[in-house]
Amino acid sequence: RCAGWGEVVCSAPASAAGVVSVEVRASGGSFTNSGVEFQYQVEATVRLVQPGSGSSGGGSVVALEGAHFNGEQGALCRLGSGSASSAQFVSSSLVRCEAAGHAEGLVAAEVSVSDGGQQYSSSGVAFEYQAAARVYAVEPSSGSETGGTVVQVVGDGLAEPEQARCRFGSTGPVLGRAA
């Protein structure tokens, strides 16, 4: 019989925040006394997500504001049942991440800060996935290289007129207005 390395998987029981040692029962029935530490952390909470909506195609950069975000280990963001994305740790109350694609509708914006995505906050702050914006036509379809041509853009899911911006190739954004 070979006495060597072994592996045991245990689910940590609830406990107050703080550091505890993790020991296992040895083959003789007594517990080890190794002093390997595990840290219980205060559960992260999300209070606000900015912006509060984005494209169902994904790609929106969102900021999650809250409390108890931990920058020592890789934070993850999850919007609804979509794929988790890596979060950029800014402070103990702010992380930024890119929204993955998701079906249209309201979803919860949550963060996992200490366990590799095993558990997420459960704050219930909403993020709304909206139909991806599409441009169908521009009128006129050409203009002078000196600029100044007023172009009407027709599409779905476009920004409200007071927030309208256009980009022509890599130039822009330029201010838009209601047609």
Side-chain angles (χ1 to χ4, degrees), residues 78-101:
R78 185 176 67 195
L79 301 173
S81 60
S83 301
S85 62
S86 295
Q88 174 194 16
F89 177 81
V90 178
S91 71
S92 64
S93 61
L94 178 65
V95 295
R96 287 192 182 96
C97 52
E98 185 175 322

Side-chain angles (χ1 to χ4, degrees), residues 27-54:
S27 58
S30 61
F31 279 87
T32 60
N33 191 19
S34 302
V36 176
E37 295 180 340
F38 177 83
Q39 182 176 6
Y40 283 96
Q41 297 180 344
V42 176
E43 182 178 357
T45 57
V46 176
R47 294 189 184 117
L48 179 67
V49 59
Q50 288 288 337
S53 63

Side-chain angles (χ1 to χ4, degrees), residues 103-167:
E104 295 173 36
L106 287 175
V107 299
E110 304 299 349
V111 64
S112 174
V113 295
S114 65
D115 59 8
Q118 292 183 47
Q119 296 175 320
Y120 283 82
S121 58
S122 56
S123 307
V125 174
F127 177 82
E128 183 176 15
Y129 277 102
Q130 299 174 337
R134 292 185 202 114
V135 173
Y136 297 118
V138 293
E139 181 63 39
S141 61
S142 64
S144 171
E145 68 182 351
T146 61
T149 303
V150 176
V151 179
Q152 182 175 358
V153 180
V154 178
D156 283 335
L158 305 179
E160 296 296 321
E162 62 274 2
Q163 297 176 340
R165 304 289 185 274
C166 298
R167 185 174 64 209

